[in-house]
Amino acid sequence: MNTLEARGLALRENLAAVKVRIGLAAEAAGRRAGALPALVVVTKFHPAADVVLLRGLGVGDVGENRDQEAAAKAAEVADASLRWHFIGQLQSNKAKSVVRYAHSVHSVDRAALVTALGRAMATQQDLDDRPDLACYIQVDLSQAAPRSAGGGTAVFGTAGQGEAMGEQDARGGAAPSDVLRLAALVAGTPGLSLAGVMAVAPLGADPVPAFELLSRISAAVVREHPGATGISAGMSHDLEAAIAAGATHLRVGSDILGPRPAVR
């Protein structure tokens, strides 16, 4: 068995193991077989050859968090049926590049980025009539705490630094109190499609309350935008908690591709 064949076998076995985990977690959460979350395989730092092998294993969605790397891989793989999900923090000046290859951006976190993506999409759609860009509002759960307003309606505010979810590094994202405003901005921008919300569970904290809060924020978004039902949450270490909270998209990397290779 040569190196490429060995790599393909390892990816097949890892992918199968993750799918078993997803199935068991969905069953435990009472989710129907037809309601399983989509699996976005995060290929950052791994070569385009791995993307090709994954495509041969039936993977249709891959995630990247650096534009330069993602753009190069998308060009090298050149598979129009493969969906590229941009999942990292995105600078506004990279919008023109990202819309050339990305099916979706999971990290929309500020109005300036919405504006940049809308302008980039206007130009790109004039060139190739590509479909609208699916956008997820990234929510910063690191300081979020639900509180009650008069009448018992849940609103989402911001706790003190590191309260509620525990101390951790900054993961990016909009404050929960800004999500509905950003959602309306995305929904009202030609070329962009509001897909839902996204978050990363805070480091060093139980992901369950974080994902439960994300689920409540999602419900608030859906009340105003019924089509924006996506919840992008859950990675290798916490996908079970995300599935229990209703995640529609999981972003799994290391449990499928193994440790990251040395960054070149």
Side-chain angles (χ1 to χ4, degrees), residues 201-223:
L203 286 173
D206 183 354
V208 172
F211 290 147
E212 288 176 347
L213 174 56
L214 183 65
S215 180
R216 295 195 297 274
I217 294 171
S218 171
V221 171
V222 171
R223 282 194 292 272

Side-chain angles (χ1 to χ4, degrees), residues 87-177:
I87 62 174
Q89 296 302 294
L90 180 60
Q91 297 176 346
S92 295
N93 62 6
K94 298 293 186 181
K96 289 182 180 179
S97 175
V98 168
V99 302
R100 295 190 185 110
Y101 60 84
H103 165 271
S104 65
V105 172
H106 290 232
S107 50
V108 176
D109 60 358
R110 61 197 186 280
L113 180 56
V114 176
T115 300
L117 289 171
R119 289 174 177 168
M121 281 297 297
T123 300
Q124 194 64 33
Q125 288 183 323
D126 282 344
L127 292 174
D128 60 13
D129 198 32
R130 62 150 290 168
D132 288 351
L133 179 72
C135 294
Y136 295 79
I137 306 299
Q138 182 174 357
V139 185
D140 177 10
L141 300 178
S142 66
Q143 301 179 49
R147 65 181 190 270
S148 293
T153 300
V155 295
F156 304 102
T158 302
Q161 181 69 32
E163 292 176 11
M165 298 300 174
E167 297 284 345
Q168 75 271 291
D169 63 352
R171 294 296 190 106
S177 57

Side-chain angles (χ1 to χ4, degrees), residues 4-262:
L4 186 63
E5 290 172 336
R7 180 58 170 164
L9 179 59
L11 291 178
R12 180 188 298 274
E13 292 175 348
N14 292 345
L15 182 63
V18 167
K19 287 182 175 180
V20 168
R21 283 179 64 194
I22 292 171
L24 291 173
E27 183 179 0
R31 295 177 61 163
R32 302 185 309 276
L36 293 180
L39 176 60
V40 178
V41 181
V42 179
T43 55
K44 62 183 180 182
F45 304 127
H46 293 273
D50 279 351
V51 179
V52 174
L53 289 171
L54 289 166
R55 191 73 186 101
L57 295 172
V59 171
D61 298 89
V62 295
E64 291 286 338
N65 73 339
R66 299 191 302 176
D67 170 62
Q68 184 175 0
E69 181 180 353
K73 285 184 189 176
E76 185 174 348
V77 175
D79 185 339
S81 63
L82 185 63
R83 292 177 293 271
W84 294 86
H85 300 254
F86 191 87
I87 62 174
Q89 296 302 294
L90 180 60
Q91 297 176 346
S92 295
N93 62 6
K94 298 293 186 181
K96 289 182 180 179
S97 175
V98 168
V99 302
R100 295 190 185 110
Y101 60 84
H103 165 271
S104 65
V105 172
H106 290 232
S107 50
V108 176
D109 60 358
R110 61 197 186 280
L113 180 56
V114 176
T115 300
L117 289 171
R119 289 174 177 168
M121 281 297 297
T123 300
Q124 194 64 33
Q125 288 183 323
D126 282 344
L127 292 174
D128 60 13
D129 198 32
R130 62 150 290 168
D132 288 351
L133 179 72
C135 294
Y136 295 79
I137 306 299
Q138 182 174 357
V139 185
D140 177 10
L141 300 178
S142 66
Q143 301 179 49
R147 65 181 190 270
S148 293
T153 300
V155 295
F156 304 102
T158 302
Q161 181 69 32
E163 292 176 11
M165 298 300 174
E167 297 284 345
Q168 75 271 291
D169 63 352
R171 294 296 190 106
S177 57
D178 289 337
V179 170
L180 291 180
R181 177 181 61 84
L182 276 177
L185 185 58
V186 170
T189 301
L192 306 184
S193 172
L194 180 63
V197 295
M198 175 273 216
V200 179
L203 286 173
D206 183 354
V208 172
F211 290 147
E212 288 176 347
L213 174 56
L214 183 65
S215 180
R216 295 195 297 274
I217 294 171
S218 171
V221 171
V222 171
R223 282 194 292 272
E224 296 193 7
H225 307 279
T229 57
I231 301 177
S232 173
M235 298 187 291
S236 292
H237 62 284
D238 58 15
L239 66 85
E240 285 84 1
I243 290 172
T248 63
H249 291 73
L250 306 170
R251 308 179 308 274
V252 179
S254 60
D255 276 11
I256 295 173
L257 287 126
R260 297 174 182 174

